[in-house]
Amino acid sequence: MMRLLKQIKTAVFPLLILLITACNLPTELDDAIITPESTAVVEATATAVPPGYTRSNPLPGHISHTIANWEVEILDSVRGEKAYHAVLAANQFNDPPPDGWEYLLVRYRVRSLYAGEDKESLGLHVSGDGNVLHYSFNSSAVSPDPMLETYLPGGAESEGWEAYLIQIGEENLIVMVDDVSNYEEPEQYIALAEGNRVTVNEELLNSITPTLVGTDPSEPAPVGLVITTEDWQLSILELYSGEGAWNRIIEANQFNDPPQEGLVYILVKMRLRYIGLEESGELVHLHSDLFTLIDNDGNRYDVPSIVEPEPELDGRLFPGGTLEGWMVLQAPESIIPESRLLFKPRTNSVDNLRYLSLGDYGR
């Protein structure tokens, strides 16, 4: 049979060439014969992320690094009781750390590589395996001498201490370096100690399944129940209103104003955990403005402008990060039992929108 097919091909092929020529069809063999497309597999080569651009592969500490338009070097660090005593010695009015928190002091040497006399800003923040970003200004503490200057003209240099509040037991501390004056430059990371690195457990976060609790405004989630959305887990830990709320608010800051006439304060302590996986490990900003108080008629009540008790509900989280904090609301006391707290984050808000009950408001 194979021999017969070969004879047929031998006889037919010359006739095919004659037919192509007669019809003014392409005479090049490559034009006349259709060949199958190449099946070779081209493998995409992933571009390796250089050291310093992720918390899983930070730059080594205690050597000088050029990052964007700055030279940055970590010289020393101290935490816990020793750090608190140093902070207290720097200023007797520095507050003790809130429950569950401790002071961290980091000594840096920085130099601006900008040209000219205009001052530029450098941000030096800290994070660890708690997956929360800690700003130095969040501590509200006066740092020991010499204090670091991070707002410098071109060519200027500073050496000194920055004070942070970190969670007790938080390890694998890493410094985030942010050239605040240059938005096009990505942040970079320096390990505070040799071997420090943080890797997000994506498998664990992906295994958490959202629930429907709190999705119906007529059935808000009760106080104390953990709600799981597409990107968040959240719950109300403590709740006060009226005199109980006001006493804690005036204790937090003696200059806080009383509530508006006809309204009472509502003081809520929340716990939130970010379980989403933003591309490139992007940070999300958590603040009390993600919550809105709504009554049965759909009226919304603005968050008052006052100083909340510490810790306030404000921070930036990496995937897996958990934050607890206080926020203050105000509304007529009569509407509170039937009101709802709407949670509407900026991350995929349709799948994350939830309603929480304030039914246990009377404490």
Side-chain angles (χ1 to χ4, degrees), residues 324-339:
E324 293 183 8
W326 293 97
M327 65 178 177
V328 178
L329 310 164
Q330 64 177 354
E333 189 168 14
S334 60
I335 67 98
I336 300 177
E338 305 301 326
S339 63

PDB file of all heavy atoms in Angstrom, residues 324-339:
ATOM      1  N   GLU A 324      -5.974  46.286  65.609  1.00  0.00           N
ATOM      2  CA  GLU A 324      -7.059  46.617  66.520  1.00  0.00           C
ATOM      3  C   GLU A 324      -7.001  48.107  66.817  1.00  0.00           C
ATOM      4  O   GLU A 324      -5.911  48.684  66.912  1.00  0.00           O
ATOM      5  CB  GLU A 324      -6.934  45.836  67.834  1.00  0.00           C
ATOM      6  CG  GLU A 324      -7.147  44.341  67.693  1.00  0.00           C
ATOM      7  CD  GLU A 324      -7.077  43.628  69.038  1.00  0.00           C
ATOM      8  OE1 GLU A 324      -7.011  44.339  70.079  1.00  0.00           O
ATOM      9  OE2 GLU A 324      -7.085  42.393  69.061  1.00  0.00           O
ATOM     10  N   GLY A 325      -8.172  48.717  66.971  1.00  0.00           N
ATOM     11  CA  GLY A 325      -8.160  50.138  67.282  1.00  0.00           C
ATOM     12  C   GLY A 325      -9.544  50.683  67.535  1.00  0.00           C
ATOM     13  O   GLY A 325     -10.563  50.035  67.249  1.00  0.00           O
ATOM     14  N   TRP A 326      -9.564  51.909  68.092  1.00  0.00           N
ATOM     15  CA  TRP A 326     -10.810  52.584  68.449  1.00  0.00           C
ATOM     16  C   TRP A 326     -11.224  53.559  67.363  1.00  0.00           C
ATOM     17  O   TRP A 326     -10.381  54.197  66.726  1.00  0.00           O
ATOM     18  CB  TRP A 326     -10.628  53.362  69.744  1.00  0.00           C
ATOM     19  CG  TRP A 326     -10.394  52.532  70.968  1.00  0.00           C
ATOM     20  CD1 TRP A 326      -9.194  52.232  71.540  1.00  0.00           C
ATOM     21  CD2 TRP A 326     -11.396  51.911  71.776  1.00  0.00           C
ATOM     22  NE1 TRP A 326      -9.381  51.457  72.657  1.00  0.00           N
ATOM     23  CE2 TRP A 326     -10.722  51.249  72.836  1.00  0.00           C
ATOM     24  CE3 TRP A 326     -12.792  51.849  71.723  1.00  0.00           C
ATOM     25  CZ2 TRP A 326     -11.389  50.536  73.830  1.00  0.00           C
ATOM     26  CZ3 TRP A 326     -13.468  51.142  72.712  1.00  0.00           C
ATOM     27  CH2 TRP A 326     -12.778  50.495  73.745  1.00  0.00           C
ATOM     28  N   MET A 327     -12.543  53.683  67.184  1.00  0.00           N
ATOM     29  CA  MET A 327     -13.088  54.760  66.362  1.00  0.00           C
ATOM     30  C   MET A 327     -14.300  55.340  67.089  1.00  0.00           C
ATOM     31  O   MET A 327     -14.934  54.677  67.917  1.00  0.00           O
ATOM     32  CB  MET A 327     -13.477  54.260  64.971  1.00  0.00           C
ATOM     33  CG  MET A 327     -14.587  53.265  64.938  1.00  0.00           C
ATOM     34  SD  MET A 327     -14.986  52.818  63.235  1.00  0.00           S
ATOM     35  CE  MET A 327     -16.234  51.571  63.499  1.00  0.00           C
ATOM     36  N   VAL A 328     -14.608  56.602  66.779  1.00  0.00           N
ATOM     37  CA  VAL A 328     -15.676  57.321  67.450  1.00  0.00           C
ATOM     38  C   VAL A 328     -16.737  57.727  66.434  1.00  0.00           C
ATOM     39  O   VAL A 328     -16.415  58.263  65.366  1.00  0.00           O
ATOM     40  CB  VAL A 328     -15.138  58.562  68.178  1.00  0.00           C
ATOM     41  CG1 VAL A 328     -16.283  59.328  68.846  1.00  0.00           C
ATOM     42  CG2 VAL A 328     -14.088  58.172  69.210  1.00  0.00           C
ATOM     43  N   LEU A 329     -17.987  57.471  66.767  1.00  0.00           N
ATOM     44  CA  LEU A 329     -19.128  57.867  65.966  1.00  0.00           C
ATOM     45  C   LEU A 329     -20.025  58.746  66.834  1.00  0.00           C
ATOM     46  O   LEU A 329     -19.853  58.802  68.053  1.00  0.00           O
ATOM     47  CB  LEU A 329     -19.912  56.645  65.489  1.00  0.00           C
ATOM     48  CG  LEU A 329     -19.098  55.524  64.829  1.00  0.00           C
ATOM     49  CD1 LEU A 329     -19.914  54.238  64.777  1.00  0.00           C
ATOM     50  CD2 LEU A 329     -18.668  55.935  63.433  1.00  0.00           C
ATOM     51  N   GLN A 330     -21.013  59.412  66.215  1.00  0.00           N
ATOM     52  CA  GLN A 330     -22.000  60.136  67.010  1.00  0.00           C
ATOM     53  C   GLN A 330     -23.344  60.089  66.295  1.00  0.00           C
ATOM     54  O   GLN A 330     -23.405  60.102  65.070  1.00  0.00           O
ATOM     55  CB  GLN A 330     -21.573  61.573  67.293  1.00  0.00           C
ATOM     56  CG  GLN A 330     -21.435  62.470  66.084  1.00  0.00           C
ATOM     57  CD  GLN A 330     -21.070  63.896  66.464  1.00  0.00           C
ATOM     58  OE1 GLN A 330     -21.016  64.259  67.644  1.00  0.00           O
ATOM     59  NE2 GLN A 330     -20.823  64.735  65.461  1.00  0.00           N
ATOM     60  N   ALA A 331     -24.413  60.023  67.098  1.00  0.00           N
ATOM     61  CA  ALA A 331     -25.768  59.909  66.552  1.00  0.00           C
ATOM     62  C   ALA A 331     -26.766  60.172  67.676  1.00  0.00           C
ATOM     63  O   ALA A 331     -26.399  60.149  68.861  1.00  0.00           O
ATOM     64  CB  ALA A 331     -25.987  58.514  65.964  1.00  0.00           C
ATOM     65  N   PRO A 332     -28.042  60.413  67.356  1.00  0.00           N
ATOM     66  CA  PRO A 332     -29.054  60.486  68.404  1.00  0.00           C
ATOM     67  C   PRO A 332     -29.131  59.151  69.144  1.00  0.00           C
ATOM     68  O   PRO A 332     -29.126  58.083  68.523  1.00  0.00           O
ATOM     69  CB  PRO A 332     -30.343  60.771  67.632  1.00  0.00           C
ATOM     70  CG  PRO A 332     -29.904  61.349  66.333  1.00  0.00           C
ATOM     71  CD  PRO A 332     -28.600  60.692  66.019  1.00  0.00           C
ATOM     72  N   GLU A 333     -29.195  59.196  70.456  1.00  0.00           N
ATOM     73  CA  GLU A 333     -29.177  57.965  71.242  1.00  0.00           C
ATOM     74  C   GLU A 333     -30.347  57.054  70.896  1.00  0.00           C
ATOM     75  O   GLU A 333     -30.225  55.827  70.946  1.00  0.00           O
ATOM     76  CB  GLU A 333     -29.174  58.291  72.733  1.00  0.00           C
ATOM     77  CG  GLU A 333     -28.932  57.070  73.606  1.00  0.00           C
ATOM     78  CD  GLU A 333     -28.632  57.441  75.046  1.00  0.00           C
ATOM     79  OE1 GLU A 333     -28.860  58.599  75.419  1.00  0.00           O
ATOM     80  OE2 GLU A 333     -28.139  56.551  75.775  1.00  0.00           O
ATOM     81  N   SER A 334     -31.477  57.655  70.531  1.00  0.00           N
ATOM     82  CA  SER A 334     -32.683  56.859  70.280  1.00  0.00           C
ATOM     83  C   SER A 334     -32.568  55.946  69.075  1.00  0.00           C
ATOM     84  O   SER A 334     -33.261  54.921  68.995  1.00  0.00           O
ATOM     85  CB  SER A 334     -33.887  57.795  70.087  1.00  0.00           C
ATOM     86  OG  SER A 334     -33.665  58.667  68.979  1.00  0.00           O
ATOM     87  N   ILE A 335     -31.684  56.281  68.130  1.00  0.00           N
ATOM     88  CA  ILE A 335     -31.606  55.470  66.904  1.00  0.00           C
ATOM     89  C   ILE A 335     -30.553  54.363  66.998  1.00  0.00           C
ATOM     90  O   ILE A 335     -30.476  53.499  66.119  1.00  0.00           O
ATOM     91  CB  ILE A 335     -31.355  56.343  65.652  1.00  0.00           C
ATOM     92  CG1 ILE A 335     -29.940  56.976  65.703  1.00  0.00           C
ATOM     93  CG2 ILE A 335     -32.408  57.425  65.526  1.00  0.00           C
ATOM     94  CD1 ILE A 335     -28.885  56.285  64.933  1.00  0.00           C
ATOM     95  N   ILE A 336     -29.741  54.386  68.032  1.00  0.00           N
ATOM     96  CA  ILE A 336     -28.591  53.470  68.078  1.00  0.00           C
ATOM     97  C   ILE A 336     -29.010  51.998  68.091  1.00  0.00           C
ATOM     98  O   ILE A 336     -28.404  51.188  67.383  1.00  0.00           O
ATOM     99  CB  ILE A 336     -27.680  53.788  69.278  1.00  0.00           C
ATOM    100  CG1 ILE A 336     -27.161  55.224  69.152  1.00  0.00           C
ATOM    101  CG2 ILE A 336     -26.502  52.818  69.323  1.00  0.00           C
ATOM    102  CD1 ILE A 336     -26.313  55.671  70.320  1.00  0.00           C
ATOM    103  N   PRO A 337     -30.053  51.595  68.875  1.00  0.00           N
ATOM    104  CA  PRO A 337     -30.373  50.160  68.913  1.00  0.00           C
ATOM    105  C   PRO A 337     -30.706  49.554  67.555  1.00  0.00           C
ATOM    106  O   PRO A 337     -30.436  48.376  67.313  1.00  0.00           O
ATOM    107  CB  PRO A 337     -31.581  50.097  69.854  1.00  0.00           C
ATOM    108  CG  PRO A 337     -31.481  51.324  70.685  1.00  0.00           C
ATOM    109  CD  PRO A 337     -30.891  52.364  69.799  1.00  0.00           C
ATOM    110  N   GLU A 338     -31.252  50.352  66.653  1.00  0.00           N
ATOM    111  CA  GLU A 338     -31.647  49.827  65.338  1.00  0.00           C
ATOM    112  C   GLU A 338     -30.682  50.255  64.232  1.00  0.00           C
ATOM    113  O   GLU A 338     -30.938  49.969  63.059  1.00  0.00           O
ATOM    114  CB  GLU A 338     -33.062  50.308  64.987  1.00  0.00           C
ATOM    115  CG  GLU A 338     -34.120  49.973  66.030  1.00  0.00           C
ATOM    116  CD  GLU A 338     -34.222  48.477  66.276  1.00  0.00           C
ATOM    117  OE1 GLU A 338     -34.027  47.702  65.315  1.00  0.00           O
ATOM    118  OE2 GLU A 338     -34.478  48.079  67.424  1.00  0.00           O
ATOM    119  N   SER A 339     -29.618  50.956  64.590  1.00  0.00           N
ATOM    120  CA  SER A 339     -28.689  51.430  63.564  1.00  0.00           C
ATOM    121  C   SER A 339     -27.740  50.316  63.138  1.00  0.00           C
ATOM    122  O   SER A 339     -27.617  49.282  63.799  1.00  0.00           O
ATOM    123  CB  SER A 339     -27.899  52.637  64.073  1.00  0.00           C
ATOM    124  OG  SER A 339     -27.115  52.265  65.183  1.00  0.00           O
TER     125      SER A 339
END
